[in-house]
Amino acid sequence: MFGAARAAFPVVAALALAVGGCVHAPPPRVEASAGIPGSGLASFPWRQVEQVLRRGYDAIASRYLEPVSVQDLALDGLKGLAAIDPAITVGREGDKVSVKVSGRDAAVLDAPAEDDVLGWARLSTLAAASSREYSPAMAAADPEAVYRAIFDALLVRLDGFSRYAGASKAEDNRAARNGFGGIGIDYRGVAEGIEVTDVTPGAPAEDGGLSKGDLIFGIDGQPVAGLSSHAVLERLRGPVNSTVSLSLRKRNGREPLEIILSRALIVPETVTLSLKGGIARIRVTSFNQRTGASVEKAVRDASARLGRTLKGIVLDMRGNPGGLLDQGVAVSDLFLTGGAIVSTRGRNPEANQSYAAKSGDIGETFPLVVLVDGQSASAAEIVAAALQDNNRAVVVGTTSYGKGTVQTVVHLPNEGELTLTWSRFHTPSGYALHKLGVLPSVCVLDVTEDPDEVVAGVRSGTGPTAIVLPLWRAVPVGDVEARRALRTSACPPGRHDEAPVEMDVARRLLSDHALYARALSLFQQVAESH
């Protein structure tokens, strides 16, 4: 099975298979006569590495958007060992896989069947372990460096959105998506420790009396001066309902204080509400597990505070990189009485889903303008396209990012995670967002553009949308060049962030019922005429 290791390795393989991957199986014995020194494997955590690679290879082969062989994954991944030591080369020669360090054979291994997940995970493990005997860099590398080298190399060959995260980064990712146990402060490092720069309303820090400008110099009896931001973060975070002790000095105080706080679930805020001139601006910066509920609360607050004087809502998603699919669906549903929101299509049967709106939400009746730019992606594009295709909102800005794929997150045995592309978004009108994006109803070509000219284009019906929309909804998803040409021709994607021109146009639309109706009907007429 693996060259000169044949005599010992099949016994291990049979034992592992018989008991479902028994963790008590001894490591495979490797004989030096095969050019694979036994010491490299004996000191290597082969069992752990094999489990992680096996889980990763299996997940990619079964879930990735396009078919990919396990053999190709493993060979592409092993070439990534050169990131640890450029002297390492891996090649396939007939039914053998060779591992060389500076041209010298470290291993010559029998290649498993093309889609043998366990076989390729074991071969990859042996390849990494055997190179340690000849490569000081590999000998010094921990398993995490091996995972990163292998997964980074194979995933970059797939697409730009699939990626690997080690245990620490994966923990940060989960915190951003789902929240974390913490006390609810922002801070910056100073000479004596950390200075509180913001306190989350309703969080344990606020309940405990912390405020902006307070100095924290100790956490759980340990000084924090000189610690990195990440090290401080690790001390502040912990299980929900666990306690943390802070040594601090109030902003205007001299005497040190000791307080004990109980950690709560902290979900980063992604939604802010501002009111001006009878118009509610709801800014959404990303989509985590509370975004849908936060947008609904913002709509309720705006309605309660302005009542009948509320002219309409601006949903500002400029610069929004996206996030959780279900939250994009939830925000769309909030403003729709019915109709399709989005569908996803992929190779794995579980990737094929359709989402539709239900009636009865508070946001269904207010006039609505959506702001997007070239950095609005993923879930933000789902919302913009759903509201536009259902003729529910006027989309203002530039063409969006065109990140029209769905990623699934796979948890790995090392507490890391793989984020894998496994399906594509399709809008209610049927076109795929991938590498195309959402074409705004009202295009703002430049941040310096005169709002009067933009509005004049709406009144006259002479905008780039009317020319390009028919092609936009017809271009095949595989015609990458045609999609690129469309994106850059009519309303090129730009980074507009907080540019005032889009908000100015939105206010004019929502303050003039006839103008707003004109903008809505213009886009719909063009869509229906083709």
Side-chain angles (χ1 to χ4, degrees):
M1 190 173 176
F2 290 112
R6 275 194 290 262
F9 207 93
V11 176
V12 177
L15 176 60
L17 290 173
V19 295
C22 175
V23 296
H24 300 294
R29 180 169 56 85
V30 183
E31 298 179 8
S33 60
I36 313 174
S39 59
L41 184 61
S43 61
F44 193 65
W46 69 272
R47 199 157 45 211
Q48 171 190 338
V49 173
E50 179 187 290
Q51 289 175 345
V52 173
L53 295 180
R54 180 182 182 182
R55 173 64 172 148
Y57 290 169
D58 182 63
I60 299 168
S62 62
R63 301 191 190 192
Y64 186 66
L65 179 64
E66 304 290 348
V68 58
S69 76
V70 181
Q71 170 186 279
D72 291 344
L73 291 175
L75 291 176
D76 284 342
L78 286 173
K79 291 174 183 177
L81 295 178
I84 299 175
D85 185 346
I88 298 174
T89 58
V90 178
R92 174 75 182 266
E93 301 170 3
D95 61 353
K96 304 291 184 181
V97 174
S98 65
V99 183
K100 299 179 184 292
V101 180
S102 299
R104 182 180 179 185
D105 280 341
V108 178
L109 308 168
D110 288 344
E114 184 177 10
D115 289 314
D116 180 356
V117 172
L118 177 58
W120 282 105
R122 284 181 172 167
L123 183 144
S124 300
T125 302
L126 280 171
S130 63
S131 64
R132 291 161 56 87
E133 186 73 10
Y134 301 96
S135 168
M138 277 296 298
D142 60 12
E144 179 56 42
V146 174
Y147 304 144
R148 188 166 56 250
I150 290 177
F151 286 132
D152 284 355
L154 69 89
L155 290 172
V156 75
R157 299 288 296 273
L158 300 182
D159 69 278
F161 301 113
S162 296
R163 58 192 179 274
Y164 167 74
S168 178
K169 179 61 176 175
E171 183 179 6
D172 292 341
N173 293 342
R174 289 189 287 270
R177 293 191 300 262
N178 305 319
F180 54 88
I183 61 173
I185 63 168
D186 292 333
Y187 57 87
R188 65 183 184 93
V190 294
E192 296 179 72
I194 58 171
E195 180 185 341
V196 178
T197 58
D198 197 17
V199 178
T200 302
E206 184 183 62
D207 294 342
L210 266 70
S211 55
K212 184 176 179 180
D214 291 350
L215 174 70
I216 298 173
F217 54 85
I219 301 174
D220 288 332
Q222 299 297 316
V224 297
L227 292 181
S228 67
S229 179
H230 185 73
V232 173
L233 197 68
E234 288 186 326
R235 296 191 183 191
L236 288 174
R237 292 183 181 179
V240 173
N241 296 325
S242 63
T243 59
V244 58
S245 172
L246 303 180
S247 304
L248 60 92
R249 189 162 53 248
K250 298 294 292 180
R251 177 179 53 186
N252 297 321
R254 296 184 177 180
E255 298 299 321
L257 301 173
E258 294 284 338
I259 65 172
I260 297 177
L261 300 177
S262 180
R263 296 182 178 95
L265 179 64
I266 306 296
V267 180
E269 186 56 70
T270 62
V271 177
T272 55
L273 169 68
S274 58
L275 305 175
K276 181 179 179 180
I279 293 172
R281 179 196 182 196
I282 300 176
R283 178 83 161 139
V284 183
T285 57
S286 65
F287 289 81
N288 65 20
Q289 69 165 351
R290 286 190 180 170
T291 299
S294 296
V295 173
E296 180 179 5
K297 182 180 183 300
V299 175
R300 291 188 182 279
D301 288 349
S303 179
R305 291 164 64 179
L306 294 182
R308 296 191 178 190
T309 65
L310 178 58
K311 298 176 182 177
I313 295 171
V314 179
L315 188 63
D316 189 351
M317 298 188 295
R318 291 173 295 176
N320 185 322
L324 298 179
L325 168 64
D326 65 336
Q327 295 301 300
V329 171
V331 172
S332 302
D333 191 9
L334 182 64
F335 298 101
L336 294 170
T337 58
I341 293 175
V342 69
S343 63
T344 63
R345 304 173 197 171
R347 182 168 59 92
N348 189 299
E350 295 180 10
N352 298 311
Q353 303 288 338
S354 296
Y355 303 87
K358 62 184 186 306
S359 62
D361 294 302
I362 190 172
E364 294 172 356
T365 60
F366 302 109
L368 183 64
V369 172
V370 174
L371 304 186
V372 297
D373 69 356
Q375 300 299 307
S376 303
S378 185
E381 294 179 287
I382 288 176
V383 175
L387 297 176
Q388 183 184 64
D389 279 5
N390 283 285
N391 201 34
R392 178 62 186 87
V394 178
V395 178
V396 175
T398 78
T399 296
S400 62
Y401 186 86
K403 197 274 184 185
T405 55
V406 187
Q407 281 67 46
T408 184
V409 178
V410 178
H411 186 78
L412 297 175
N414 68 326
E415 298 303 319
E417 63 185 27
L418 291 177
T419 301
L420 301 177
T421 297
W422 82 329
S423 64
R424 289 193 180 97
F425 298 132
H426 289 259
T427 71
S429 61
Y431 72 93
L433 285 164
H434 188 55
K435 295 188 180 299
L436 190 62
V438 178
L439 179 68
S441 314
V442 179
C443 179
V444 178
L445 292 170
D446 190 85
V447 294
T448 61
E449 194 165 359
D450 186 346
D452 289 336
E453 294 183 4
V454 177
V455 170
V458 175
R459 295 188 191 279
S460 65
T462 59
T465 294
I467 302 170
V468 176
L469 182 61
L471 295 173
W472 203 272
R473 293 184 171 179
V475 62
V477 68
D479 194 341
V480 176
E481 185 57 33
R483 288 178 163 247
R484 185 200 63 79
L486 280 175
R487 280 177 55 77
T488 57
S489 61
C491 189
R495 187 166 188 168
H496 287 195
D497 291 337
E498 297 285 340
V501 58
E502 281 97 349
M503 272 303 302
D504 197 339
V505 171
R507 292 182 188 282
R508 297 185 190 205
L509 289 172
L510 293 174
S511 298
D512 185 331
H513 293 299
L515 182 63
Y516 177 78
R518 172 65 171 159
L520 272 180
S521 64
L522 177 64
F523 191 88
Q524 193 65 15
Q525 287 170 8
V526 172
E528 291 175 351
S529 66
H530 294 84

